[in-house]
Amino acid sequence: MAPFLLSLKLAFWTTVLLLPIGIVIGRVLAYYSFKAKAWVEALVYLPLVLPPTVLGYYLLVALSPNHAIGKSLGAFFDGPLVFSFEGLVLASLLVNIPFAVQPSQQAFASISQDTREAAWVSGLSSWQTFLRIELPQCWLGILCAATLTFAHTLGEFGVVLMVGGNIAGETRTLSIAIYDSVQAFDMGAAGAMTAGLLAFSVIALVVMRVAGLQIHRGR
Amino acid sequence: MDDKAITLQVRLTQTVPIALDVQLQCGKGEMLALTGPSGSGKTTVLRCIAGLHRAANGMVKCNDQVWQDRQGKTFIGAQQRRVGLVFQQYALFPHLNVLQNVAIALSHVKGQDKKTKAMHWLSLTNMSGMHDKRPAQLSGGQRQRVALARALAREPDVLLLDEPFSAVDQLTREKLYRELALIRSNLNIPMILVTHDMLEVQQLADSLCLIHHGKTLQSGSINDVMRKPETARIARLLGHKNIYTANLNANKQLHVLGTRIDIHQQTALGTGPVSVLIEPSAIIMHRNDRPSNGERENPLSTQVNEMVAMGEDWLLKLDVLGTNEQISFRVSRHVAARNNIETNGKLKVSILSEGIHLMPAAQATSPLP
């Protein structure tokens, strides 16, 4: 039960922290053109194509107490980030950026420029336009981003293992526990955990697909 | 007169993203048609007036309020300008119902009055009873009425209409013309209608500003601009067909369409080559049954080259015999039938010299397209 709860905790914090970032980046990429846009998009979507072990390796090096980044983050968090839950959250944030950004970006892009301009000439400030015009039309895309981020974090294995290791109660998430059970030939436990993860992933994808269809119809 | 005093003055120049060199002004209660071919910069000008685009150099002034100055120090944003803008594709908020779409522009009204005001504007645009519908449940014409109600609800200092009728069918368009004409009679603000439909311009607008490649070519009252274009190029852009190059001699005689026509009106043009516009209303068809008024004036023998049905009329294209020129005009179907007009048939017409407008010689060869 502990690995499942730890995975849920990790997925919750990753989603809560990443969603606002994904909304901001997605909106910027949907509405603004700037010189470095191609580079920003490449960086945002890099975790999709990079093997988790590669990302995990770089994070392990960067977060180690011997590295400047790891040292300063360690000072801030009052302890080294590698092999800790905080380190896992940070790694999950980076790995899941594309899952939070892409649905948000698509949802914002589906709102026409005319609609936003109509809000401005109607007297709405940019902030009011965001809250009263954009968000109500984007919420399905944002729900999609949240679901995808949550589900992907729940099943993340490579980066979690590289950065967090396998410390019971601290960094042993559900997917690592499944791996552990299989290594220990405890196929019953592995099967139960796998079925739970599978069911959750299917539900998440169905929710996402339905939301996607709603966005498409709303255009 | 105070009411007709100029209340909107616009002067815009920029080179990017599209070149602009536009000057226009519009008085209270006046509807100015901003027209020109697609891509000429009409919508960009409208966006500059609305505060949605900032021209590199420009001045936009309304009711003594400076919205943008030449020095680049002042630029009032769209939110503060009090502009009503009707978009070509409606731009309604799909997640809000009709009433909410209008009420959102009523930020200057408080409390319960907001609903009352929104209902008032909806009733003015004939949308009473549809207030709880979503935009997706409305027809194109209904959506445009809501968009107009929303623009008016802002109680704007300027009303901007960006090709508002282009997305609706002909029948709805006719209805909307009538409704807009009724509404505008009670509006004492400058109104700018962007369109490339000259029929629409003549039906709805009081004045006209023609732009091409971002540059104002001519502006003035509809009658002046349509009847007296400054150049052959302008005449062509306004949709005129009968444009020719001709020679004006010292006796103020014009040699055109194989005949000599005495010119009575004053002209600053000297002798030599000139461009000539013949208004369709100055072309008189000789009837079979009885003489037509003015048929002795500048008669021409022609052969019908083409007859195109245009609603209740035929658009005739005639070859002027003895020349390589053609002349076009409309004739109603019953008149055509009564006079046995048919393709390749012979037809006599006269040109009234009062309907001839002279312009500086154009580069293009005659006849102009």
Side-chain angles (χ1 to χ4, degrees), chain A residues 115 117 121 124 132 136-137, chain B residues 47 79 83 93-95 154:
Chain A
T115 308
E117 290 181 347
V121 292
L124 267 63
R132 296 177 63 182
Q137 293 184 69
Chain B
R47 286 168 52 78
Q79 288 94 341
V83 161
F93 309 125
H95 60 294
R154 181 88 171 121

Side-chain angles (χ1 to χ4, degrees), chain A residues 13-25:
Chain A
W13 281 113
T14 304
T15 307
V16 165
L17 295 173
L18 193 54
L19 208 54
I21 299 169
I23 291 171
V24 171
I25 298 176

Side-chain angles (χ1 to χ4, degrees), chain A residues 34 63 72 85 87 99 102 131-132 152 157-158 211:
Chain A
F34 48 93
L63 298 181
S72 47
F85 179 74
F99 301 102
Q102 197 187 32
L131 289 177
R132 296 177 63 182
H152 189 255
F157 179 75

Side-chain angles (χ1 to χ4, degrees), chain B residues 31 124-126 148 152 174-188 191 203-204:
Chain B
M31 184 171 284
L124 202 74
T125 52
N126 293 324
L148 180 61
L152 294 172
E174 299 284 338
K175 279 186 195 166
L176 290 174
Y177 284 168
R178 190 181 148 272
E179 288 173 19
L180 181 63
L182 286 172
I183 290 170
R184 64 156 289 199
S185 62
N186 293 319
L187 292 178
N188 200 28
M191 290 161 274
Q203 286 195 53
L204 293 172

Side-chain angles (χ1 to χ4, degrees), chain B residues 15-299:
Chain B
T15 48
V16 285
I18 66 160
L20 278 185
D21 183 8
V22 170
Q23 184 162 16
L24 60 87
Q25 49 192 34
C26 190
K28 282 182 181 173
E30 177 183 344
M31 184 171 284
L32 169 79
L34 187 59
T35 190
S38 298
S40 57
K42 304 184 293 288
T43 297
T44 307
V45 172
L46 217 60
R47 286 168 52 78
C48 288
I49 299 170
L52 296 169
H53 176 75
R54 185 175 186 165
N57 286 297
M59 183 272 296
V60 181
K61 199 174 160 188
C62 183
N63 292 335
D64 298 326
Q65 264 191 315
V66 178
W67 287 349
Q68 183 178 350
D69 67 0
R70 285 177 201 277
Q71 291 76 33
K73 287 179 188 164
T74 307
F75 183 80
I76 308 287
Q79 288 94 341
Q80 282 81 41
R81 285 199 186 191
R82 294 198 77 122
V83 161
L85 175 54
V86 178
F87 292 80
Q88 190 176 354
Q89 295 292 337
Y90 328 117
L92 297 178
F93 309 125
H95 60 294
L96 302 179
N97 66 27
V98 164
L99 184 72
Q100 290 164 331
N101 261 280
V102 177
I104 211 161
L106 288 163
S107 52
H108 54 289
V109 178
K110 301 288 170 212
Q112 188 60 29
D113 287 349
K114 199 173 266 196
K115 188 180 174 186
T116 314
K117 277 268 185 188
M119 292 302 276
H120 161 74
W121 292 113
L122 284 172
S123 115
L124 202 74
T125 52
N126 293 324
M127 285 300 289
S128 299
M130 307 288 272
H131 60 277
D132 56 349
K133 297 262 193 270
R134 289 286 177 101
Q137 297 171 284
L138 304 177
S139 68
Q142 289 170 330
R143 288 182 205 188
Q144 204 53 295
R145 286 185 182 96
V146 178
L148 180 61
R150 181 180 63 188
L152 294 172
R154 181 88 171 121
E155 293 184 15
D157 292 330
V158 179
L159 180 64
L160 306 173
L161 305 153
D162 188 5
E163 302 197 35
F165 311 110
S166 61
V168 296
D169 60 83
Q170 185 61 34
L171 199 66
T172 309
R173 195 176 301 179
E174 299 284 338
K175 279 186 195 166
L176 290 174
Y177 284 168
R178 190 181 148 272
E179 288 173 19
L180 181 63
L182 286 172
I183 290 170
R184 64 156 289 199
S185 62
N186 293 319
L187 292 178
N188 200 28
I189 53 171
M191 290 161 274
I192 297 184
L193 169 70
V194 164
T195 179
H196 54 249
D197 183 338
M198 294 313 296
L199 209 62
E200 202 166 286
V201 169
Q202 293 185 54
Q203 286 195 53
L204 293 172
D206 306 303
S207 52
L208 171 62
C209 175
L210 175 70
I211 64 171
H212 188 39
H213 294 316
K215 191 175 166 60
T216 303
L217 295 185
Q218 191 174 346
S219 57
S221 74
I222 299 284
N223 200 36
D224 279 355
V225 178
M226 289 302 291
R227 295 190 63 191
K228 294 172 184 166
E230 286 169 4
T231 63
R233 184 175 173 226
I234 292 173
R236 250 190 337 267
L237 288 168
L238 291 170
H240 287 296
K241 297 277 188 292
N242 303 315
I243 306 163
Y244 310 92
T245 51
N247 253 303
L248 185 65
N249 68 21
N251 299 326
K252 293 192 82 178
Q253 277 185 323
L254 195 67
H255 190 210
V256 66
L257 297 172
T259 187
R260 283 189 193 282
I261 298 176
D262 289 321
I263 297 297
H264 305 300
Q265 63 264 47
Q266 293 288 328
T267 175
L269 297 171
T271 56
V274 290
S275 291
V276 175
L277 166 67
I278 300 175
E279 287 177 30
S281 61
I283 302 166
I284 305 293
M285 192 186 77
H286 296 196
R287 297 168 63 147
N288 283 344
D289 50 350
R290 60 180 169 79
S292 308
N293 285 339
E295 72 173 30
R296 286 189 196 156
E297 193 175 339
N298 310 313

